[in-house]
């Protein structure tokens, strides 16, 4: 299973971007949780938002009310980012915990490539 992330870019403060993360693979699979993390220069990677089977979502405090994670299809999510701030500048990474059909093991971790989000002041 592979994750494909897209949608980063350069925007002025107050602007919006939408990131997309799509999972694909040759075998059938089920997504248990899918999330966006970010890594700013000099900082540790942090969880931004996640979506879990059943539809529950969680957000880090700094993005609540500004970012929304939502399913765009069975195997993809969007991260709508509004009212962007310079402190949102980071490389954003898509993550998913996936169970492949026919597997008896626990969910496996998958990461997409990072996508750069830069917010100018």
């Amino acid at each position: 299973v592979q994750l494909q992330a897209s949608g980063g870019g350069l925007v002025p403060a107050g602007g919006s971007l939408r990131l997309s993360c799509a999972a694909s693979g040759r075998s059938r699979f089920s997504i248990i949780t899918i999330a966006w993390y970010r890594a700013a220069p000099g900082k540790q990677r942090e969880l931004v938002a996640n979506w879990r089977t059943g539809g529950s979502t969680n957000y880090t405090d700094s993005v609540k009310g500004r970012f929304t994670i939502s399913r765009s299809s069975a195997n993809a999510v969007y991260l709508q980012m509004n009212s962007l701030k310079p402190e949102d500048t980071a490389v954003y990474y898509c993550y998913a915990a996936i169970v492949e059909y026919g597997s008896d093991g626990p969910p496996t971790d998958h990461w997409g490539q990072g996508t750069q989000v830069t917010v100018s002041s």
Side-chain angles (χ1 to χ4, degrees), residues 18-86:
R18 188 174 71 175
L19 305 183
S20 178
C21 177
S24 63
R26 288 185 292 181
S27 59
R28 294 180 66 195
F29 58 89
S30 177
I31 296 175
I32 306 303
T33 186
I34 191 164
W36 285 96
Y37 286 76
R38 66 186 179 187
K43 295 186 178 180
Q44 290 186 328
R45 188 177 297 190
E46 66 168 348
L47 175 65
V48 177
N50 68 7
W51 179 96
R52 298 181 178 179
T53 299
S56 66
T57 57
N58 290 287
Y59 300 90
T60 191
D61 286 345
S62 64
V63 308
K64 286 180 180 177
R66 301 188 296 121
F67 292 11
T68 303
I69 189 169
S70 60
R71 294 288 292 276
S72 59
S73 71
N75 296 325
V77 294
Y78 291 130
L79 181 68
Q80 180 66 43
M81 305 186 295
N82 298 327
S83 302
L84 283 160
K85 303 176 180 179

